[in-house]
């Protein structure tokens, strides 16, 4: 399954790390566009200019890890599309041109199901997508989450409550399932 990942899933960190850790297992093939990655870097910069530097480093690592994940949508594809927020048309265009099966986003309002389904693309929220993956491979997904939580604990220098961390990362149903 090919899944285009929207910027709102790539940033914040814990959500991104869990999604990409699952992708590393081969559960799906991640896709993104240069503009989506730029949106991530700009969102990080709004929090703190130093965060932009970190984001750009992480983006470079993603490019090295998944060189085939980059999709640059064609102007023709963008020109024929309509979405409630025209600033999101590039995301749908990248999903179409990248032959994505699904678009993973938290932005439900601006990606109507009927518009995406007309293009043969499913809209998936990360929590539902990862919960479904957990039902298919509970041990594998549990291990993915455990690795991300362990790294978050290492970076914070303190133990973290996994369920609370997943809830803050907008993965409450996955957190409940893992509890």
């Amino acid at each position: 399954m090919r899944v285009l990942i929207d910027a709102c899933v790539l940033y914040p960190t814990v959500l991104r790390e869990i999604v990409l850790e699952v992708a590393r297992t081969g559960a799906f093939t991640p896709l993104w566009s240069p503009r989506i990655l730029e949106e991530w870097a700009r969102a990080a910069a709004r929090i703190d200019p130093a965060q932009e530097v970190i984001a750009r480093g992480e983006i470079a690592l993603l490019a090295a890890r998944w060189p085939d994940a980059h999709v640059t949508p064609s102007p023709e594809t963008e020109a024929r599309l309509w979405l409630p927020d025209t600033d999101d048309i590039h995301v749908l265009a990248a999903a179409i041109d990248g032959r994505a099966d699904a678009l993973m986003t938290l932005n439900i309002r601006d990606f109507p199901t009927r518009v995406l389904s007309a293009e043969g693309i499913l809209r998936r929220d990360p929590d539902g997508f990862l919960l479904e993956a957990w039902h298919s491979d509970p041990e594998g997904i549990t291990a993915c989450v455990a690795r991300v939580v362990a790294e978050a604990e290492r970076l914070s220098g303190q133990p973290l409550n996994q369920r609370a961390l997943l809830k803050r990362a907008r993965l409450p149903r996955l957190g409940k399932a893992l509890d």
Side-chain angles (χ1 to χ4, degrees):
M1 171 180 270
R2 296 170 61 84
V3 179
L4 187 97
I5 304 173
D6 197 2
C8 60
V9 176
L10 292 171
Y11 189 75
T13 303
V14 172
L15 176 57
R16 175 186 66 252
E17 291 301 319
I18 291 172
V19 167
L20 293 178
E21 191 66 29
V22 171
R24 282 183 192 98
T25 69
F28 70 96
T29 301
L31 302 169
W32 42 72
S33 71
R35 186 167 169 188
I36 289 170
L37 297 177
E38 184 60 29
E39 285 181 7
W40 164 17
R42 284 196 318 259
R46 282 192 296 273
I47 303 296
D48 176 4
Q51 291 297 313
E52 179 181 11
V53 174
I54 293 168
R56 292 198 185 278
E58 291 173 345
I59 288 167
L61 290 173
L62 288 185
R65 173 73 173 98
W66 285 289
D68 297 331
H70 283 73
V71 176
T72 301
S74 72
E76 295 80 19
T77 302
E78 288 189 41
R80 71 174 180 79
L81 296 173
W82 173 89
L83 285 173
D85 183 348
T86 57
D87 287 338
D88 287 324
I89 288 174
H90 72 95
V91 177
L92 178 55
I96 293 165
D97 288 349
R99 299 177 328 279
D101 302 296
L103 179 123
M104 186 183 297
T105 186
L106 295 163
N107 188 355
I108 293 169
R109 185 186 70 226
D110 291 331
F111 292 101
T113 302
R114 63 179 162 65
V115 174
L116 271 63
S117 63
E119 300 293 342
I121 297 171
L122 297 170
R123 184 188 66 217
R124 300 300 310 268
D125 72 282
D127 196 26
F129 183 87
L130 293 172
L131 185 60
E132 186 177 297
W134 178 79
H135 283 294
S136 296
D137 179 15
E139 289 178 11
I141 303 306
T142 299
C144 289
V145 171
R147 286 190 291 273
V148 173
V149 171
E151 179 63 7
E153 288 177 337
R154 185 188 72 75
L155 292 171
S156 72
Q158 59 187 346
L160 299 170
N161 178 292
Q162 177 176 286
R163 188 167 180 186
L165 182 65
L166 292 179
K167 185 175 181 180
R168 282 192 310 274
R170 296 182 167 185
L171 300 170
R173 294 181 296 161
L174 180 63
K176 185 176 180 180
L178 293 173
D179 224 11

